[in-house]
Amino acid sequence: DSTARDALSRLTALADRVPEIFSPQVVDHAIHLVGQVGATSLLGPLRHLARRRIDVAPAVLTAALGALDNGPAVEAGRCVADLSGYMKAADVSQASARSLVMLAGAPEDSPPFRRSRGGSARDPSGLRAATGVAPGTVTAVLVKMLPRPAHRSPLVVAPGTGQQADDPAVSDFERICAANAVWALTGTHPDVASELVEPLILNLGVESGDSFDRHPVASVQHAIATMLVLDIGDVTDRLERAGRSAGTEVRDRLFVVLEQTARLLDPHDRWREPGEPEPAAGRRRVIFDQLVAICLARAGGDWG
Protein backbone atom coordinates (compact mmCIF):
# COMPACT_ATOMS: atom_id res chain seq x y z
CA ASP A 1 0.00 0.00 0.00
CA SER A 2 0.98 3.68 -0.09
CA THR A 3 2.22 3.67 3.52
CA ALA A 4 4.67 0.85 2.82
CA ARG A 5 5.84 2.50 -0.41
CA ASP A 6 6.45 5.78 1.41
CA ALA A 7 8.43 4.00 4.13
CA LEU A 8 10.56 2.19 1.55
CA SER A 9 11.18 5.48 -0.27
CA ARG A 10 12.40 7.08 2.96
CA LEU A 11 14.69 4.15 3.69
CA THR A 12 16.10 4.32 0.15
CA ALA A 13 16.71 8.06 0.47
CA LEU A 14 18.55 7.52 3.76
CA ALA A 15 20.64 4.72 2.21
CA ASP A 16 21.66 7.05 -0.60
CA ARG A 17 22.37 10.15 1.48
CA VAL A 18 23.52 8.93 4.91
CA PRO A 19 24.42 5.24 4.56
CA GLU A 20 26.45 5.36 7.76
CA ILE A 21 23.27 5.83 9.79
CA PHE A 22 22.35 2.14 9.34
CA SER A 23 23.84 0.15 12.22
CA PRO A 24 24.87 -3.51 11.76
CA GLN A 25 21.89 -4.53 13.91
CA VAL A 26 19.44 -2.70 11.62
CA VAL A 27 21.01 -4.21 8.52
CA ASP A 28 20.95 -7.72 10.01
CA HIS A 29 17.30 -7.30 11.00
CA ALA A 30 16.33 -6.18 7.48
CA ILE A 31 18.18 -9.11 5.95
CA HIS A 32 16.46 -11.44 8.43
CA LEU A 33 13.06 -10.10 7.33
CA VAL A 34 13.97 -10.77 3.70
CA GLY A 35 15.01 -14.36 4.37
CA GLN A 36 12.58 -15.43 7.06
CA VAL A 37 9.47 -13.37 6.33
CA GLY A 38 9.83 -12.91 2.59
CA ALA A 39 9.92 -9.11 2.75
CA THR A 40 11.78 -8.86 -0.57
CA SER A 41 10.76 -5.21 -0.98
CA LEU A 42 13.41 -4.38 1.65
CA LEU A 43 16.02 -5.43 -0.89
CA GLY A 44 15.38 -2.09 -2.59
CA PRO A 45 16.86 0.13 0.13
CA LEU A 46 19.38 -2.60 1.01
CA ARG A 47 20.61 -2.53 -2.58
CA HIS A 48 21.16 1.22 -2.43
CA LEU A 49 22.95 0.81 0.89
CA ALA A 50 25.16 -2.01 -0.41
CA ARG A 51 26.36 0.13 -3.31
CA ARG A 52 27.77 2.61 -0.78
CA ARG A 53 28.93 0.28 1.98
CA ILE A 54 31.22 -2.57 1.06
CA ASP A 55 30.78 -4.13 4.50
CA VAL A 56 27.12 -5.01 3.88
CA ALA A 57 27.24 -5.83 0.14
CA PRO A 58 28.07 -9.58 0.40
CA ALA A 59 25.28 -10.18 2.93
CA VAL A 60 22.73 -8.30 0.81
CA LEU A 61 23.75 -10.29 -2.28
CA THR A 62 23.38 -13.55 -0.34
CA ALA A 63 19.91 -12.49 0.80
CA ALA A 64 18.94 -11.62 -2.77
CA LEU A 65 20.11 -14.96 -4.13
CA GLY A 66 18.25 -16.73 -1.33
CA ALA A 67 15.08 -14.86 -2.28
CA LEU A 68 15.54 -15.88 -5.91
CA ASP A 69 15.85 -19.50 -4.84
CA ASN A 70 12.22 -19.20 -3.73
CA GLY A 71 10.94 -17.49 -6.87
CA PRO A 72 11.18 -14.36 -9.05
CA ALA A 73 11.61 -11.12 -7.08
CA VAL A 74 12.24 -7.92 -8.99
CA GLU A 75 14.39 -6.24 -6.32
CA ALA A 76 16.42 -9.41 -5.85
CA GLY A 77 17.22 -9.44 -9.56
CA ARG A 78 18.35 -5.83 -9.36
CA CYS A 79 20.60 -6.69 -6.41
CA VAL A 80 22.28 -9.39 -8.49
CA ALA A 81 22.84 -6.89 -11.30
CA ASP A 82 24.30 -4.19 -9.03
CA LEU A 83 26.34 -6.46 -6.75
CA SER A 84 27.58 -9.06 -9.23
CA GLY A 85 31.18 -8.08 -8.46
CA TYR A 86 30.82 -9.95 -5.16
CA MET A 87 29.31 -13.05 -6.78
CA LYS A 88 31.01 -16.35 -7.59
CA ALA A 89 29.81 -19.08 -9.92
CA ALA A 90 29.04 -21.38 -6.98
CA ASP A 91 26.66 -18.76 -5.57
CA VAL A 92 24.28 -19.08 -8.53
CA SER A 93 21.97 -22.07 -8.08
CA GLN A 94 19.73 -23.43 -10.80
CA ALA A 95 16.72 -22.22 -8.80
CA SER A 96 18.01 -18.65 -8.65
CA ALA A 97 19.01 -18.75 -12.32
CA ARG A 98 15.51 -19.92 -13.23
CA SER A 99 14.01 -16.98 -11.32
CA LEU A 100 16.30 -14.60 -13.18
CA VAL A 101 15.16 -16.15 -16.47
CA MET A 102 11.56 -15.47 -15.44
CA LEU A 103 12.39 -11.86 -14.59
CA ALA A 104 14.20 -11.40 -17.90
CA GLY A 105 11.66 -13.05 -20.17
CA ALA A 106 8.20 -13.12 -18.62
CA PRO A 107 5.43 -11.44 -20.65
CA GLU A 108 4.89 -7.98 -19.23
CA ASP A 109 1.14 -8.42 -18.89
CA SER A 110 1.48 -11.49 -16.67
CA PRO A 111 1.41 -11.18 -12.85
CA PRO A 112 3.64 -10.32 -11.07
CA PHE A 113 5.37 -8.73 -14.05
CA ARG A 114 2.75 -6.22 -15.15
CA ARG A 115 4.08 -2.90 -16.37
CA SER A 116 4.33 -0.44 -13.52
CA ARG A 117 4.01 3.33 -13.68
CA GLY A 118 7.77 3.60 -13.70
CA GLY A 119 8.18 1.37 -16.75
CA SER A 120 8.54 -2.29 -17.53
CA ALA A 121 9.02 -4.75 -14.69
CA ARG A 122 10.80 -7.14 -17.07
CA ASP A 123 14.50 -6.69 -16.44
CA PRO A 124 17.25 -8.85 -17.95
CA SER A 125 20.09 -7.12 -16.07
CA GLY A 126 20.19 -9.71 -13.28
CA LEU A 127 20.25 -12.60 -15.74
CA ARG A 128 23.01 -10.96 -17.75
CA ALA A 129 25.07 -10.44 -14.60
CA ALA A 130 24.59 -14.06 -13.51
CA THR A 131 25.44 -15.30 -17.01
CA GLY A 132 28.72 -13.41 -16.87
CA VAL A 133 29.61 -15.19 -13.63
CA ALA A 134 27.99 -18.62 -14.08
CA PRO A 135 27.29 -19.21 -17.79
CA GLY A 136 27.13 -22.98 -17.38
CA THR A 137 24.37 -22.81 -14.78
CA VAL A 138 22.30 -20.37 -16.83
CA THR A 139 22.71 -22.46 -19.98
CA ALA A 140 21.64 -25.64 -18.17
CA VAL A 141 18.52 -23.93 -16.84
CA LEU A 142 17.57 -22.53 -20.26
CA VAL A 143 18.01 -25.96 -21.88
CA LYS A 144 15.63 -27.45 -19.30
CA MET A 145 13.08 -24.70 -19.98
CA LEU A 146 13.30 -25.38 -23.74
CA PRO A 147 12.60 -29.13 -23.84
CA ARG A 148 12.69 -31.33 -26.92
CA PRO A 149 9.46 -32.84 -28.24
CA ALA A 150 8.43 -35.83 -26.16
CA HIS A 151 9.34 -39.20 -27.61
CA ARG A 152 6.17 -41.11 -28.32
CA SER A 153 6.32 -44.75 -27.40
CA PRO A 154 4.61 -47.26 -29.72
CA LEU A 155 3.34 -49.00 -26.59
CA VAL A 156 0.05 -48.06 -24.97
CA VAL A 157 0.74 -47.29 -21.31
CA ALA A 158 -1.43 -46.27 -18.41
CA PRO A 159 -2.15 -42.53 -18.08
CA GLY A 160 0.52 -40.69 -16.10
CA THR A 161 3.24 -43.28 -16.59
CA GLY A 162 4.89 -41.56 -19.57
CA GLN A 163 6.39 -38.73 -17.48
CA GLN A 164 9.16 -39.29 -14.99
CA ALA A 165 8.43 -37.97 -11.50
CA ASP A 166 11.74 -36.11 -11.37
CA ASP A 167 11.26 -34.57 -14.83
CA PRO A 168 8.18 -32.33 -14.60
CA ALA A 169 6.58 -30.95 -17.72
CA VAL A 170 7.61 -27.46 -18.78
CA SER A 171 4.72 -25.03 -19.11
CA ASP A 172 4.08 -22.73 -22.06
CA PHE A 173 4.79 -19.80 -19.76
CA GLU A 174 8.24 -21.16 -18.93
CA ARG A 175 9.01 -21.71 -22.61
CA ILE A 176 8.06 -18.10 -23.37
CA CYS A 177 10.27 -16.85 -20.53
CA ALA A 178 13.21 -18.95 -21.70
CA ALA A 179 12.93 -17.88 -25.36
CA ASN A 180 12.64 -14.22 -24.41
CA ALA A 181 15.58 -14.60 -22.02
CA VAL A 182 17.76 -16.07 -24.78
CA TRP A 183 16.76 -13.11 -26.96
CA ALA A 184 17.85 -10.76 -24.16
CA LEU A 185 21.26 -12.48 -24.02
CA THR A 186 21.96 -12.21 -27.75
CA GLY A 187 23.34 -8.69 -27.44
CA THR A 188 25.51 -9.25 -24.36
CA HIS A 189 26.40 -12.96 -24.28
CA PRO A 190 26.30 -14.29 -27.86
CA ASP A 191 28.52 -17.24 -26.88
CA VAL A 192 25.89 -18.46 -24.43
CA ALA A 193 23.02 -17.75 -26.84
CA SER A 194 24.78 -19.79 -29.55
CA GLU A 195 24.56 -22.87 -27.33
CA LEU A 196 20.77 -22.51 -27.29
CA VAL A 197 20.26 -22.59 -31.07
CA GLU A 198 19.53 -26.32 -31.23
CA PRO A 199 17.26 -26.40 -28.13
CA LEU A 200 15.26 -23.48 -29.57
CA ILE A 201 14.83 -25.12 -32.97
CA LEU A 202 13.88 -28.48 -31.45
CA ASN A 203 11.43 -26.72 -29.12
CA LEU A 204 9.44 -25.61 -32.16
CA GLY A 205 8.17 -29.18 -32.28
CA VAL A 206 6.64 -28.99 -28.79
CA GLU A 207 2.90 -28.43 -28.87
CA SER A 208 1.28 -25.69 -26.83
CA GLY A 209 -0.67 -26.78 -23.78
CA ASP A 210 -3.45 -24.28 -24.45
CA SER A 211 -4.23 -23.26 -28.02
CA PHE A 212 -6.25 -20.30 -26.75
CA ASP A 213 -3.42 -18.93 -24.61
CA ARG A 214 -0.28 -17.04 -25.62
CA HIS A 215 1.65 -19.31 -27.95
CA PRO A 216 5.31 -19.90 -26.97
CA VAL A 217 6.28 -20.73 -30.56
CA ALA A 218 6.23 -17.04 -31.50
CA SER A 219 8.78 -16.20 -28.79
CA VAL A 220 11.01 -19.08 -29.88
CA GLN A 221 10.81 -17.99 -33.54
CA HIS A 222 11.70 -14.41 -32.61
CA ALA A 223 14.79 -15.53 -30.70
CA ILE A 224 15.99 -17.75 -33.56
CA ALA A 225 15.42 -15.02 -36.16
CA THR A 226 17.38 -12.54 -34.07
CA MET A 227 20.32 -14.94 -33.81
CA LEU A 228 20.23 -15.47 -37.57
CA VAL A 229 20.44 -11.70 -38.13
CA LEU A 230 23.28 -11.35 -35.61
CA ASP A 231 25.15 -14.37 -37.01
CA ILE A 232 25.06 -16.17 -33.66
CA GLY A 233 25.57 -19.91 -33.95
CA ASP A 234 25.02 -22.00 -37.07
CA VAL A 235 21.32 -21.16 -37.36
CA THR A 236 21.08 -21.62 -41.13
CA ASP A 237 22.59 -25.11 -41.14
CA ARG A 238 20.52 -26.26 -38.18
CA LEU A 239 17.31 -24.95 -39.75
CA GLU A 240 18.01 -26.85 -42.94
CA ARG A 241 18.85 -30.08 -41.10
CA ALA A 242 15.75 -29.79 -38.94
CA GLY A 243 13.52 -29.19 -41.96
CA ARG A 244 14.61 -32.38 -43.72
CA SER A 245 13.18 -34.63 -41.02
CA ALA A 246 10.41 -32.42 -39.61
CA GLY A 247 6.69 -32.81 -40.11
CA THR A 248 4.53 -30.37 -42.03
CA GLU A 249 3.60 -28.23 -39.02
CA VAL A 250 7.17 -27.84 -37.80
CA ARG A 251 8.32 -26.99 -41.31
CA ASP A 252 5.71 -24.25 -41.42
CA ARG A 253 7.11 -22.92 -38.15
CA LEU A 254 10.63 -22.98 -39.59
CA PHE A 255 9.45 -20.92 -42.56
CA VAL A 256 8.00 -18.36 -40.14
CA VAL A 257 11.51 -18.00 -38.69
CA LEU A 258 12.66 -16.97 -42.18
CA GLU A 259 9.75 -14.55 -42.46
CA GLN A 260 10.64 -13.05 -39.08
CA THR A 261 14.25 -12.68 -40.21
CA ALA A 262 13.15 -10.83 -43.34
CA ARG A 263 11.07 -8.49 -41.19
CA LEU A 264 14.07 -7.74 -38.97
CA LEU A 265 15.99 -6.64 -42.07
CA ASP A 266 13.52 -3.80 -42.66
CA PRO A 267 14.63 -0.78 -40.61
CA HIS A 268 11.24 0.86 -41.23
CA ASP A 269 9.11 -2.08 -40.13
CA ARG A 270 6.18 -0.69 -38.14
CA TRP A 271 6.21 -3.61 -35.70
CA ARG A 272 9.89 -3.25 -34.78
CA GLU A 273 10.40 -3.61 -31.03
CA PRO A 274 12.94 -1.78 -28.84
CA GLY A 275 16.23 -3.64 -28.73
CA GLU A 276 15.80 -5.50 -32.00
CA PRO A 277 18.98 -5.67 -34.11
CA GLU A 278 19.56 -3.19 -36.89
CA PRO A 279 22.21 -4.73 -39.17
CA ALA A 280 24.39 -2.53 -41.35
CA ALA A 281 23.69 -2.42 -45.06
CA GLY A 282 26.42 -4.94 -45.87
CA ARG A 283 25.23 -7.45 -43.30
CA ARG A 284 21.63 -6.90 -44.39
CA ARG A 285 22.55 -7.86 -47.94
CA VAL A 286 24.34 -11.02 -46.80
CA ILE A 287 21.30 -12.16 -44.81
CA PHE A 288 18.95 -11.34 -47.68
CA ASP A 289 21.03 -13.47 -50.05
CA GLN A 290 20.97 -16.31 -47.52
CA LEU A 291 17.19 -16.16 -47.25
CA VAL A 292 16.78 -16.18 -51.03
CA ALA A 293 19.12 -19.17 -51.34
CA ILE A 294 17.26 -21.10 -48.63
CA CYS A 295 13.86 -20.43 -50.20
CA LEU A 296 15.06 -21.36 -53.70
CA ALA A 297 16.46 -24.62 -52.34
CA ARG A 298 13.14 -25.38 -50.66
CA ALA A 299 11.31 -24.81 -53.95
CA GLY A 300 12.80 -28.11 -55.09
CA GLY A 301 10.60 -29.88 -52.56
CA ASP A 302 13.29 -31.32 -50.30
CA TRP A 303 11.17 -30.33 -47.31
CA GLY A 304 8.11 -31.99 -48.77
Side-chain angles (χ1 to χ4, degrees), residues 206-220:
V206 177
E207 297 302 323
S208 175
D210 184 355
S211 58
F212 296 99
D213 198 0
R214 182 184 291 102
H215 211 292
V217 168
S219 296
V220 174

PDB file of all heavy atoms in Angstrom, residues 206-220:
ATOM      1  N   VAL A 206       7.437 -28.750 -29.996  1.00  0.00           N
ATOM      2  CA  VAL A 206       6.642 -28.992 -28.788  1.00  0.00           C
ATOM      3  C   VAL A 206       5.304 -28.279 -28.931  1.00  0.00           C
ATOM      4  O   VAL A 206       5.250 -27.081 -29.219  1.00  0.00           O
ATOM      5  CB  VAL A 206       7.381 -28.491 -27.528  1.00  0.00           C
ATOM      6  CG1 VAL A 206       6.518 -28.691 -26.290  1.00  0.00           C
ATOM      7  CG2 VAL A 206       8.711 -29.207 -27.382  1.00  0.00           C
ATOM      8  N   GLU A 207       4.231 -29.018 -28.722  1.00  0.00           N
ATOM      9  CA  GLU A 207       2.901 -28.434 -28.873  1.00  0.00           C
ATOM     10  C   GLU A 207       2.535 -27.585 -27.668  1.00  0.00           C
ATOM     11  O   GLU A 207       2.950 -27.855 -26.540  1.00  0.00           O
ATOM     12  CB  GLU A 207       1.852 -29.538 -29.066  1.00  0.00           C
ATOM     13  CG  GLU A 207       2.061 -30.346 -30.327  1.00  0.00           C
ATOM     14  CD  GLU A 207       2.048 -29.478 -31.578  1.00  0.00           C
ATOM     15  OE1 GLU A 207       1.263 -28.511 -31.626  1.00  0.00           O
ATOM     16  OE2 GLU A 207       2.840 -29.759 -32.497  1.00  0.00           O
ATOM     17  N   SER A 208       1.739 -26.560 -27.901  1.00  0.00           N
ATOM     18  CA  SER A 208       1.282 -25.692 -26.830  1.00  0.00           C
ATOM     19  C   SER A 208       0.253 -26.408 -25.976  1.00  0.00           C
ATOM     20  O   SER A 208      -0.564 -27.182 -26.478  1.00  0.00           O
ATOM     21  CB  SER A 208       0.679 -24.411 -27.415  1.00  0.00           C
ATOM     22  OG  SER A 208       0.129 -23.608 -26.405  1.00  0.00           O
ATOM     23  N   GLY A 209       0.288 -26.150 -24.677  1.00  0.00           N
ATOM     24  CA  GLY A 209      -0.671 -26.778 -23.777  1.00  0.00           C
ATOM     25  C   GLY A 209      -2.063 -26.188 -23.882  1.00  0.00           C
ATOM     26  O   GLY A 209      -3.046 -26.823 -23.531  1.00  0.00           O
ATOM     27  N   ASP A 210      -2.162 -24.948 -24.360  1.00  0.00           N
ATOM     28  CA  ASP A 210      -3.453 -24.279 -24.452  1.00  0.00           C
ATOM     29  C   ASP A 210      -3.474 -23.464 -25.735  1.00  0.00           C
ATOM     30  O   ASP A 210      -2.826 -22.428 -25.844  1.00  0.00           O
ATOM     31  CB  ASP A 210      -3.681 -23.366 -23.241  1.00  0.00           C
ATOM     32  CG  ASP A 210      -5.060 -22.721 -23.242  1.00  0.00           C
ATOM     33  OD1 ASP A 210      -5.801 -22.908 -24.226  1.00  0.00           O
ATOM     34  OD2 ASP A 210      -5.407 -22.046 -22.268  1.00  0.00           O
ATOM     35  N   SER A 211      -4.216 -23.926 -26.717  1.00  0.00           N
ATOM     36  CA  SER A 211      -4.232 -23.260 -28.018  1.00  0.00           C
ATOM     37  C   SER A 211      -4.875 -21.889 -27.958  1.00  0.00           C
ATOM     38  O   SER A 211      -4.748 -21.094 -28.893  1.00  0.00           O
ATOM     39  CB  SER A 211      -4.980 -24.130 -29.033  1.00  0.00           C
ATOM     40  OG  SER A 211      -6.312 -24.381 -28.593  1.00  0.00           O
ATOM     41  N   PHE A 212      -5.604 -21.595 -26.884  1.00  0.00           N
ATOM     42  CA  PHE A 212      -6.252 -20.298 -26.754  1.00  0.00           C
ATOM     43  C   PHE A 212      -5.402 -19.307 -25.959  1.00  0.00           C
ATOM     44  O   PHE A 212      -5.749 -18.143 -25.829  1.00  0.00           O
ATOM     45  CB  PHE A 212      -7.615 -20.451 -26.068  1.00  0.00           C
ATOM     46  CG  PHE A 212      -8.586 -21.265 -26.878  1.00  0.00           C
ATOM     47  CD1 PHE A 212      -8.783 -22.605 -26.590  1.00  0.00           C
ATOM     48  CD2 PHE A 212      -9.270 -20.705 -27.935  1.00  0.00           C
ATOM     49  CE1 PHE A 212      -9.661 -23.368 -27.338  1.00  0.00           C
ATOM     50  CE2 PHE A 212     -10.150 -21.457 -28.692  1.00  0.00           C
ATOM     51  CZ  PHE A 212     -10.359 -22.795 -28.405  1.00  0.00           C
ATOM     52  N   ASP A 213      -4.285 -19.782 -25.413  1.00  0.00           N
ATOM     53  CA  ASP A 213      -3.420 -18.929 -24.605  1.00  0.00           C
ATOM     54  C   ASP A 213      -2.287 -18.399 -25.475  1.00  0.00           C
ATOM     55  O   ASP A 213      -2.186 -18.718 -26.661  1.00  0.00           O
ATOM     56  CB  ASP A 213      -2.860 -19.731 -23.427  1.00  0.00           C
ATOM     57  CG  ASP A 213      -2.332 -18.840 -22.314  1.00  0.00           C
ATOM     58  OD1 ASP A 213      -2.405 -17.616 -22.483  1.00  0.00           O
ATOM     59  OD2 ASP A 213      -1.856 -19.380 -21.305  1.00  0.00           O
ATOM     60  N   ARG A 214      -1.429 -17.573 -24.909  1.00  0.00           N
ATOM     61  CA  ARG A 214      -0.277 -17.043 -25.615  1.00  0.00           C
ATOM     62  C   ARG A 214       0.586 -18.200 -26.105  1.00  0.00           C
ATOM     63  O   ARG A 214       0.910 -19.111 -25.369  1.00  0.00           O
ATOM     64  CB  ARG A 214       0.518 -16.140 -24.680  1.00  0.00           C
ATOM     65  CG  ARG A 214       1.712 -15.483 -25.330  1.00  0.00           C
ATOM     66  CD  ARG A 214       2.496 -14.681 -24.330  1.00  0.00           C
ATOM     67  NE  ARG A 214       1.767 -13.508 -23.901  1.00  0.00           N
ATOM     68  CZ  ARG A 214       1.118 -13.426 -22.739  1.00  0.00           C
ATOM     69  NH1 ARG A 214       1.098 -14.469 -21.924  1.00  0.00           N
ATOM     70  NH2 ARG A 214       0.492 -12.328 -22.390  1.00  0.00           N
ATOM     71  N   HIS A 215       0.948 -18.177 -27.360  1.00  0.00           N
ATOM     72  CA  HIS A 215       1.653 -19.307 -27.953  1.00  0.00           C
ATOM     73  C   HIS A 215       3.156 -19.116 -27.809  1.00  0.00           C
ATOM     74  O   HIS A 215       3.716 -18.130 -28.289  1.00  0.00           O
ATOM     75  CB  HIS A 215       1.283 -19.431 -29.431  1.00  0.00           C
ATOM     76  CG  HIS A 215       1.305 -20.831 -29.934  1.00  0.00           C
ATOM     77  ND1 HIS A 215       2.475 -21.541 -30.051  1.00  0.00           N
ATOM     78  CD2 HIS A 215       0.315 -21.656 -30.316  1.00  0.00           C
ATOM     79  CE1 HIS A 215       2.200 -22.748 -30.524  1.00  0.00           C
ATOM     80  NE2 HIS A 215       0.904 -22.845 -30.692  1.00  0.00           N
ATOM     81  N   PRO A 216       3.865 -20.054 -27.167  1.00  0.00           N
ATOM     82  CA  PRO A 216       5.310 -19.896 -26.972  1.00  0.00           C
ATOM     83  C   PRO A 216       6.102 -19.973 -28.264  1.00  0.00           C
ATOM     84  O   PRO A 216       7.234 -19.487 -28.317  1.00  0.00           O
ATOM     85  CB  PRO A 216       5.661 -21.050 -26.028  1.00  0.00           C
ATOM     86  CG  PRO A 216       4.584 -22.059 -26.242  1.00  0.00           C
ATOM     87  CD  PRO A 216       3.348 -21.282 -26.528  1.00  0.00           C
ATOM     88  N   VAL A 217       5.547 -20.586 -29.308  1.00  0.00           N
ATOM     89  CA  VAL A 217       6.281 -20.734 -30.558  1.00  0.00           C
ATOM     90  C   VAL A 217       6.714 -19.377 -31.109  1.00  0.00           C
ATOM     91  O   VAL A 217       7.820 -19.234 -31.640  1.00  0.00           O
ATOM     92  CB  VAL A 217       5.422 -21.499 -31.595  1.00  0.00           C
ATOM     93  CG1 VAL A 217       6.043 -21.412 -32.986  1.00  0.00           C
ATOM     94  CG2 VAL A 217       5.283 -22.961 -31.182  1.00  0.00           C
ATOM     95  N   ALA A 218       5.883 -18.363 -30.974  1.00  0.00           N
ATOM     96  CA  ALA A 218       6.232 -17.036 -31.501  1.00  0.00           C
ATOM     97  C   ALA A 218       7.475 -16.480 -30.821  1.00  0.00           C
ATOM     98  O   ALA A 218       8.340 -15.876 -31.473  1.00  0.00           O
ATOM     99  CB  ALA A 218       5.054 -16.085 -31.321  1.00  0.00           C
ATOM    100  N   SER A 219       7.591 -16.677 -29.515  1.00  0.00           N
ATOM    101  CA  SER A 219       8.775 -16.200 -28.790  1.00  0.00           C
ATOM    102  C   SER A 219      10.024 -16.961 -29.227  1.00  0.00           C
ATOM    103  O   SER A 219      11.108 -16.378 -29.372  1.00  0.00           O
ATOM    104  CB  SER A 219       8.565 -16.349 -27.280  1.00  0.00           C
ATOM    105  OG  SER A 219       7.510 -15.545 -26.831  1.00  0.00           O
ATOM    106  N   VAL A 220       9.883 -18.263 -29.436  1.00  0.00           N
ATOM    107  CA  VAL A 220      11.011 -19.075 -29.884  1.00  0.00           C
ATOM    108  C   VAL A 220      11.448 -18.629 -31.279  1.00  0.00           C
ATOM    109  O   VAL A 220      12.650 -18.475 -31.559  1.00  0.00           O
ATOM    110  CB  VAL A 220      10.635 -20.572 -29.874  1.00  0.00           C
ATOM    111  CG1 VAL A 220      11.754 -21.409 -30.490  1.00  0.00           C
ATOM    112  CG2 VAL A 220      10.355 -21.043 -28.451  1.00  0.00           C
TER     113      VAL A 220
END
